[in-house]
Amino acid sequence: MKSAKTDRVLRVSLGVLVVALVYVIYAAIHERIVVAGDSAPEFTIQTDNGRTVSLPNFGGKLLVLNFWASWCPPCVEETPSMSRFAQEYANKGVVVLGVSVDKDDKAYRAFLQRFRPAFLTARELKTHEDYGTFMYPETYFIDAHGKVVKKIPEGVDWNDPGLRQYVDSLL
């Protein structure tokens, strides 16, 4: 009698564990990846200059949200042109926010010292997951209504006339 009861408990427990495993695998495979046309996931980030920024807090401006890392060669390559872009478009209604996914604070700080980005920067390790970003750099253009209007899944030359023409068309 005890053996049958123990056997039943073990089967039920094993069944629950199998269901939990299947759910975890399903959730990992089906992570949300944000694409153009999606609503941008909300976030609140403390930037290096002490400013707290959040998605609904850009006052009708176009947000250029760039995820990067100090160890990423295309990220390093695009930083100077992104700085020029940020400076030239700051008074046109564009905010550039570079969010580093560096786990090593010293590497992040060294990058900032070396390149002195002319845009808002922050080191934050969660938001990129909400966007489904795990390859860097990756940039999202988010309009005043919180919609992703463009996604660039690679490094770019921010001086590219086609890119600038596109941004001008959004303003």
Side-chain angles (χ1 to χ4, degrees), residues 76-154:
V76 172
E77 189 176 313
E78 79 175 351
T79 298
S81 67
M82 183 182 280
S83 285
R84 285 190 295 281
F85 171 85
Q87 288 174 320
E88 292 173 25
Y89 278 82
N91 293 327
K92 296 180 181 182
V94 177
V95 174
V96 177
L97 173 59
V99 178
S100 170
V101 298
D102 277 292
K103 291 181 181 172
D104 181 353
D105 186 57
K106 287 182 183 178
Y108 170 68
R109 299 285 169 202
F111 183 95
L112 295 181
Q113 276 297 113
R114 180 173 176 208
F115 292 99
R116 302 198 185 281
F119 47 87
L120 291 173
T121 57
R123 186 175 74 91
E124 197 269 345
L125 305 176
K126 172 80 176 96
T127 303
H128 71 104
E129 293 176 0
D130 296 338
Y131 281 77
T133 296
F134 298 96
M135 302 276 293
Y136 310 101
E138 191 156 270
T139 304
Y140 297 85
F141 292 78
I142 303 169
D143 71 11
H145 306 289
K147 275 270 194 256
V148 175
V149 294
K150 185 174 184 70
K151 175 180 176 178
I152 302 176
E154 60 191 356

Side-chain angles (χ1 to χ4, degrees), residues 6-20:
T6 303
D7 198 33
R8 195 173 326 131
V9 169
L10 286 174
R11 284 184 191 167
V12 169
S13 297
L14 185 58
V16 169
L17 287 173
V18 168
V19 169

